Amino acid sequence: MSVLRKYLFTGLLIWIPLGITIWVIQLIIGTMDQIGAILPSAVRPDYWLLVHLADYIPFFKGYQRIPGFGLVFAVAVLLVTGMVARNMLGRRLLQLGEQVLNRIPIVRSIYSSVKQVSDTLFSDSGQAFRKAALVQFPHQGSWSIGFITGTPKGEISAKLNDELVSVFVPTTPNPTSGFLFMVNKADVRELDMSVDEALKYVISLGVVAPGGPAQAGNKIVLPVSTTESGEPARAEHV
């Protein structure tokens, strides 16, 4: 039974990550397909492609869309939007659109909040999650992995004269929630590990420890014992 249990757990360790990965990919593609489905069939390139293929391959008769077209459509829209927003005319149109949205009461609060978060996370000048660090949390002598998100500004910086940094400490195993607090920069110990490695460590409950040169080269030396004649025995490396 112990051998069968080991085989079962080994199979689970292989198939669970693979199954979750496939499920997430299907979820993303399905969501993108729903975005592409808003277009009428008359203007969908995949619909006309299937119509022409059905004349030569009867198998395609009755099909009206190609799975995954929505993903291609969404990526194309993002690329075109980025290209337009990079030039002078596109930036001007974007500013006019934001001015219109900022005049709508409910939409204004939602859009401005989401835009501030997205600009912080995805813009080239953003500082969010740029560095992993160790901070004493939730009390002195207890250390947690956090992410430096920037430095306090505005009223917070004026009220606090010390040199502070903003640190986000995620919860385990769900890193999308956590605690944000300001701490003295001198009390923060920056880590050499990447943000991805730190997130893996948090999500895995500390099981997946990030590797490093110090860990790779460590050797444990067993205590020196003596033989029956009193001579020291040879130390063994593990």
Side-chain angles (χ1 to χ4, degrees):
M1 289 296 296
S2 60
V3 175
L4 294 177
R5 190 182 300 111
K6 291 180 180 179
Y7 289 160
L8 178 62
F9 282 113
T10 302
L12 288 175
L13 291 176
I14 294 174
W15 280 104
I16 287 178
L18 183 61
I20 294 177
T21 302
I22 296 174
W23 175 73
V24 170
I25 293 175
Q26 289 180 342
L27 180 63
I28 294 174
I29 295 177
T31 303
M32 293 300 181
D33 277 342
Q34 294 298 323
I35 296 176
I38 63 177
L39 296 176
S41 300
V43 297
R44 288 173 59 93
D46 59 334
Y47 172 77
W48 290 107
L49 177 62
L50 290 173
V51 169
H52 289 292
L53 288 177
D55 295 336
Y56 303 96
I57 306 176
F59 174 78
F60 291 106
K61 287 184 178 181
Y63 288 94
Q64 295 185 353
R65 65 185 184 91
I66 299 176
F69 169 76
L71 178 62
V72 178
F73 174 73
V75 172
V77 170
L78 292 175
L79 289 176
V80 173
T81 305
M83 293 173 59
V84 173
R86 283 290 183 176
N87 56 55
M88 186 69 66
L89 179 60
R91 285 196 292 267
R92 182 57 182 168
L93 292 175
L94 185 61
Q95 291 176 357
L96 291 175
E98 289 182 351
Q99 291 177 1
V100 173
L101 292 175
N102 288 330
R103 292 179 180 177
I104 304 175
I106 299 178
V107 176
R108 174 179 57 195
S109 58
I110 299 175
Y111 176 78
S112 60
S113 301
V114 174
K115 190 175 187 303
Q116 289 177 358
V117 174
S118 62
D119 288 344
T120 303
L121 293 177
F122 301 113
S123 65
D124 296 334
S125 59
Q127 296 181 344
F129 293 90
R130 298 299 182 186
K131 195 72 177 176
L134 287 173
V135 292
Q136 296 194 62
F137 181 83
H139 54 77
Q140 292 290 331
S142 178
W143 293 87
S144 299
I145 289 183
F147 301 96
I148 300 175
T149 59
T151 56
K153 295 180 176 61
E155 183 181 0
I156 298 178
S157 178
K159 296 290 184 181
L160 302 173
N161 298 324
D162 298 333
E163 187 177 5
L164 304 175
V165 293
S166 299
V167 179
F168 173 74
V169 176
T171 56
T172 303
N174 178 21
T176 57
S177 63
F179 304 91
L180 175 65
F181 57 93
M182 279 69 71
V183 62
N184 285 320
K185 189 175 182 180
D187 297 332
V188 177
R189 299 185 183 182
E190 295 186 2
L191 298 172
D192 294 330
M193 71 176 69
S194 63
V195 174
D196 291 339
E197 290 177 333
L199 282 174
K200 290 178 183 178
Y201 186 76
V202 172
I203 295 173
S204 66
L205 309 178
V207 176
V208 180
Q215 292 182 349
N218 282 350
K219 291 183 178 181
I220 302 174
V221 180
L222 297 178
V224 178
S225 59
T226 57
T227 60
E228 295 180 356
S229 59
E231 296 179 356
R234 184 179 179 180
E236 297 181 1
H237 295 271
V238 178

